[in-house]
Amino acid sequence: MDASYWSKRYRNKETRWDLGEVSAPLVEIFKEIEKDSEILIPGCGNAYEAEFLFNSGYKNVCVIDVAKEPLEAFKKRNPSFPNHQIILGDFFDHSGAYDFIIEQTFFCAIDPSLRSNYVQKMYQLLKKDGKLMGVLFDREFEQGPPFGGGKEEYKNLFSAVFSKVEIQDSLQSIQPRSGAEVTIRCVK
Ligand SMILES: C[S@@+](CC[C@H](N)C(=O)[O-])C[C@H]1O[C@@H](n2cnc3c(N)ncnc32)[C@H](O)[C@@H]1O
């Protein structure tokens, strides 16, 4: 799935993943983040999470996506969000050093053959003691994207690289995802 695949989905409004608002489990997770932290949201889509953080006083939020359509919509909704913190590009080519990276429906969007690369790249983009935090599906799908997964797989995948990995059932998921999501916290 390249940039043109995702752009087409946004243009055709085939975006069932899009919540139209900040994700409730992430609002809980954000309570653990200090205001001056450097935060990356990869595969951000319409980036309601970045909007929520920015409007809550987190000024060092950076978003990246391969599709220009959601980034343009984000800019329109948030004219005071710094342009240099909105990146049109491939997460796997990105460089930087962040305190926190936020995951939501990005892991499930990439081809499963790239999952180890995803974990390595997340680790590389974090500062010492930095954390990857977010929500992952705890279910399979017939055909992806989204590509599903489960706790055992995630534990093995992330523990191979990160020093500490916590995976818990998500209690705040929206109704259609209820019982089918876990929260994940991985410390570099
Ligand atoms: C399923 S959508 C989720 C969007 C957003 N996280 C949300 O929850 O609404 C996956 C997003 O990842 C983006 N994406 C896919 N591969 C990417 C890559 N290699 N680098 C950056 N963004 C990517 C797509 O353009 C799309 O916006």
Side-chain angles (χ1 to χ4, degrees):
M1 276 72 59
D2 59 4
S4 65
Y5 167 87
W6 291 105
S7 277
K8 193 168 163 212
R9 293 207 50 167
Y10 282 102
R11 280 199 308 276
N12 294 343
K13 302 200 180 345
E14 291 166 2
T15 54
R16 271 162 300 163
W17 61 81
D18 192 304
L19 300 180
E21 61 181 2
V22 63
S23 154
L26 288 182
V27 172
E28 281 307 303
I29 283 175
F30 292 160
K31 293 177 183 165
E32 300 167 33
I33 304 184
E34 302 81 24
K35 289 258 156 88
D36 60 349
S37 305
E38 305 261 4
I39 304 167
L40 176 69
I41 308 184
C44 61
N46 274 300
Y48 308 106
E49 288 70 32
E51 186 168 342
F52 174 86
L53 285 168
F54 192 67
N55 292 335
S56 307
Y58 295 81
K59 298 302 176 200
N60 301 319
V61 184
C62 187
V63 296
I64 178 166
D65 203 288
V66 280
K68 70 175 188 323
E69 291 76 5
L71 296 182
E72 280 167 6
F74 176 79
K75 280 185 197 176
K76 255 193 200 151
R77 297 198 316 274
N78 300 282
S80 60
F81 193 94
N83 249 314
H84 70 275
Q85 290 167 219
I86 304 172
I87 300 166
L88 174 63
D90 191 325
F91 160 77
F92 291 101
D93 297 332
H94 184 57
S95 52
Y98 298 91
D99 299 300
F100 293 92
I101 306 183
I102 304 303
E103 162 58 48
Q104 167 159 268
T105 55
F106 174 50
F107 178 89
C108 69
I110 62 165
D111 192 277
S113 65
L114 295 176
R115 286 187 171 176
S116 292
N117 302 30
Y118 166 104
V119 176
Q120 291 286 351
K121 187 69 193 177
M122 287 290 182
Y123 186 86
Q124 191 189 89
L125 287 171
L126 285 166
K127 295 181 193 171
K128 185 175 176 286
D129 300 324
K131 275 190 193 169
L132 165 65
M133 305 206 289
V135 193
L136 296 174
F137 280 118
D138 185 21
R139 57 164 291 190
E140 294 300 338
F141 294 93
E142 266 180 26
Q143 206 189 343
F147 300 100
K151 287 177 208 156
E152 203 49 41
E153 179 195 351
Y154 300 150
K155 187 87 194 162
N156 292 334
L157 195 59
F158 289 95
S159 300
V161 175
F162 283 88
S163 68
K164 191 174 165 204
V165 176
E166 258 179 48
I167 301 175
Q168 292 165 334
D169 292 330
S170 167
L171 303 177
Q172 289 88 11
S173 295
I174 56 161
Q175 208 284 325
R177 297 181 189 174
S178 177
E181 272 186 337
V182 290
T183 55
I184 184 159
R185 291 171 178 79
C186 303
V187 184
K188 182 159 178 173

